[in-house]
Amino acid sequence: MTLAFYLSAVVAVIATALTITRLHAIHALLYLTVSLLAVSLVFYTLGATFMAALEVIIYAGAIMVLFVFVVMMLNLGSRAIEQERRILKPGTWLGPGILSLLLMVEFGWLLAEAPVRGTAVAHFEPKEVGIALYGPYLIAVELASILLLGALVAAYHLGSREPGRRET
């Protein structure tokens, strides 16, 4: 488990560094996805399986789809076809593909090595979750809702512009 933790951490750091240094937005998003998957594996090795699953589902899944959608939406114009041709070259996917393959092999190895054990599952009623969210975590929930509302307004504003019209 310790080797898997350090290997995942190294992949996360490398992928994050490559995310920062890429000039093309799609390349950066690919490396960011690999980084998020590596962080998920770090959570898994630390025993936080729920956080690992949330990392994959929410960040590597939903948020990255949103990022790719926004990049594609803003990438309109005469150069869009040429940029898509460059994105679809196999060399573009080589780095993220190798790092993702390394993570998949490592995850498979961890699953094969892990002892089979029963886990205790805690059951929570929806009322208890609501009390927890709107009790001690009220400010965090409200800040997240304000952030999402701001993102929604910004996405609407970016998507509703007319192509030939300039904003002043």
Side-chain angles (χ1 to χ4, degrees):
M1 272 304 200
T2 304
L3 176 65
F5 172 80
Y6 286 117
L7 193 57
S8 299
V10 167
V11 169
V13 169
I14 291 171
T16 303
L18 289 171
T19 298
I20 296 169
T21 59
R22 297 301 96 184
L23 298 177
H24 297 288
I26 294 294
H27 299 177
L29 288 174
L30 289 172
Y31 282 112
L32 183 59
T33 303
V34 171
S35 175
L36 292 171
L37 291 173
V39 169
S40 173
L41 199 53
V42 167
F43 282 135
Y44 180 79
T45 59
L46 292 174
T49 54
F50 183 67
M51 281 302 300
L54 286 180
E55 184 83 20
V56 170
I57 293 168
I58 294 173
Y59 292 110
I63 301 221
M64 292 311 298
V65 168
L66 177 67
F67 284 177
V68 169
F69 175 74
V70 169
V71 167
M72 290 170 53
M73 184 175 69
L74 296 177
N75 197 14
L76 300 175
S78 61
R79 301 180 317 174
I81 296 173
E82 180 60 34
Q83 287 179 346
E84 286 181 21
R85 285 187 185 137
R86 282 185 295 196
I87 289 170
L88 295 176
K89 287 184 180 177
T92 303
W93 301 88
L94 186 63
I98 290 172
L99 291 175
S100 296
L101 181 66
L102 179 64
L103 287 174
M104 287 180 3
V105 167
E106 180 183 356
F107 187 65
W109 174 68
L110 281 174
L111 288 177
E113 294 283 321
V116 178
R117 58 183 168 174
T119 58
V121 178
H123 294 283
F124 296 101
E125 295 293 322
K127 181 178 180 180
E128 294 172 356
V129 174
I131 289 171
L133 283 178
Y134 294 104
Y137 301 112
L138 177 64
I139 296 203
V141 169
E142 291 300 322
L143 288 176
S145 68
I146 290 171
L147 180 67
L148 289 172
L149 178 64
L152 180 67
V153 169
Y156 175 76
H157 180 69
L158 287 172
S160 66
R161 288 188 187 164
E162 295 176 16
R165 186 175 156 214
R166 285 184 50 182
E167 297 286 327
T168 57

